[in-house]
Amino acid sequence: MINISIIDDDRAMLEQMQKIVRDAAGCGDGISIAGYERPDAFLEENEKRKCQILVSDIDMPGMSGLEAAKRAREMNPRMFIVFVTAYMQYAIESYRMDAFQYVLKSELSDRLPGILRKLTEMIEKDRKRYCFIGTESNRKKVFYDDIIWLKKEKNAKYVTYILENERYTERESLESAVEKLDNGAFVIVERGCAVNLKHVMRLTDCALQLSNQDTVAISRARMAGVKEKLHRFWGEEEW
């Protein structure tokens, strides 16, 4: 499911954007669209819903779209942001937020559909990547995006693949597992541990907090390399 959220305090504009998004991205075929007149209402629901694409007005009373997007990014660093504004001067601020695009409201009908189609195609393409994990008698199809992290205990022969509610083991080295999953998102952070950067919620001085609330330590020797890969990964426009 691709979750798309739209924020605009102007009800008429919100309804217009919802229609444009629905026509461009579809609804019901793995697409969920939700509209909000208040940024705080979006943030409250997003703690559970976790949208992949946010389309937001910038200039709103109280909390701005920039602030709402910043807070939402803390929950999901890989969320795509499309800012909608009536004022050209906000374009610079949107780039500082690493927004995927900004769209002037006067160009909404012309530009927003193409942007949304591109984003949904990018997400769907990446989601289709998978591998098979498990024993010969019990192989499981696992999508790359669903793998949160991998671990291998000292002297163990098996790598454990950790998903949200499941775990699978494969007889292989950690290095060969990461090589098999090579798509730029998996990185070894310490001996016996590798993480999917898409599931990193927070970086601290010596550890990563993941989307399932697990915390994985980063070895001192790998710290600089992991930080560089993570910041580069968060800053890229494409998955």
Side-chain angles (χ1 to χ4, degrees), residues 7 43 51 64 66 79 87 96-97 135 142 151 200:
I7 312 173
L43 289 171
C51 75
S64 72
L66 293 168
M79 177 186 69
Y87 307 104
R96 288 176 181 167
M97 271 293 303
T135 63
V142 175
K151 69 175 181 178
V200 174

Side-chain angles (χ1 to χ4, degrees), residues 33-195:
I33 301 170
Y36 306 88
E37 292 183 53
R38 301 193 332 273
D40 59 332
F42 155 72
L43 289 171
E44 182 178 349
E45 186 169 328
N46 195 52
E47 289 186 11
K48 296 180 179 179
R49 188 169 176 268
K50 288 187 171 60
C51 75
Q52 287 94 346
I53 301 173
L54 171 63
V55 181
S56 177
D57 187 17
I58 294 180
D59 188 24
M60 292 182 284
M63 187 187 304
S64 72
L66 293 168
E67 179 62 24
K70 180 180 178 181
R71 295 189 188 183
R73 269 270 175 85
E74 293 175 356
M75 304 177 198
N76 179 13
R78 293 300 295 166
M79 177 186 69
F80 288 107
I81 301 170
V82 179
F83 283 123
V84 176
T85 178
Y87 307 104
M88 179 66 76
Q89 63 263 33
Y90 284 122
I92 295 175
E93 292 297 326
S94 71
Y95 282 125
R96 288 176 181 167
M97 271 293 303
D98 289 326
F100 184 82
Q101 285 283 357
Y102 82 94
V103 181
L104 293 175
K105 289 187 176 181
S106 60
E107 303 173 342
L108 205 60
S109 298
D110 293 331
R111 295 192 58 216
L112 189 56
I115 292 169
L116 288 169
R117 282 192 291 268
K118 180 178 180 180
L119 289 179
T120 54
E121 287 171 4
M122 287 165 58
I123 294 171
E124 287 294 352
K125 180 180 179 181
D126 195 69
R127 281 183 166 181
K128 291 177 181 177
R129 303 190 68 184
Y130 63 87
C131 61
F132 287 94
I133 302 171
T135 63
E136 292 184 4
S137 60
N138 184 23
R139 305 291 285 176
K140 173 71 174 181
K141 181 179 179 180
V142 175
F143 289 92
Y144 287 8
D145 268 9
D146 293 335
I147 300 169
I148 299 173
W149 63 292
L150 304 87
K151 69 175 181 178
K152 185 173 185 178
E153 304 294 346
K154 187 176 181 180
N155 299 323
K157 296 180 180 179
Y158 291 85
V159 170
T160 300
Y161 289 70
I162 300 168
L163 286 67
E164 182 69 35
N165 297 308
E166 300 169 296
R167 295 188 176 205
Y168 301 98
T169 58
E170 180 89 345
R171 185 165 180 157
E172 60 187 338
S173 68
L174 184 66
E175 290 74 15
S176 64
V178 171
E179 183 178 354
K180 176 177 66 180
L181 298 168
D182 183 26
N183 67 344
F186 292 88
V187 58
I188 296 175
V189 298
E190 69 167 352
R191 183 177 181 180
C193 290
V195 302

Side-chain angles (χ1 to χ4, degrees), residues 4-16:
I4 303 175
S5 296
I6 307 168
I7 312 173
D8 199 303
D9 62 307
D10 183 323
R11 178 180 287 273
M13 180 57 67
L14 178 62
E15 292 176 353
Q16 180 184 348

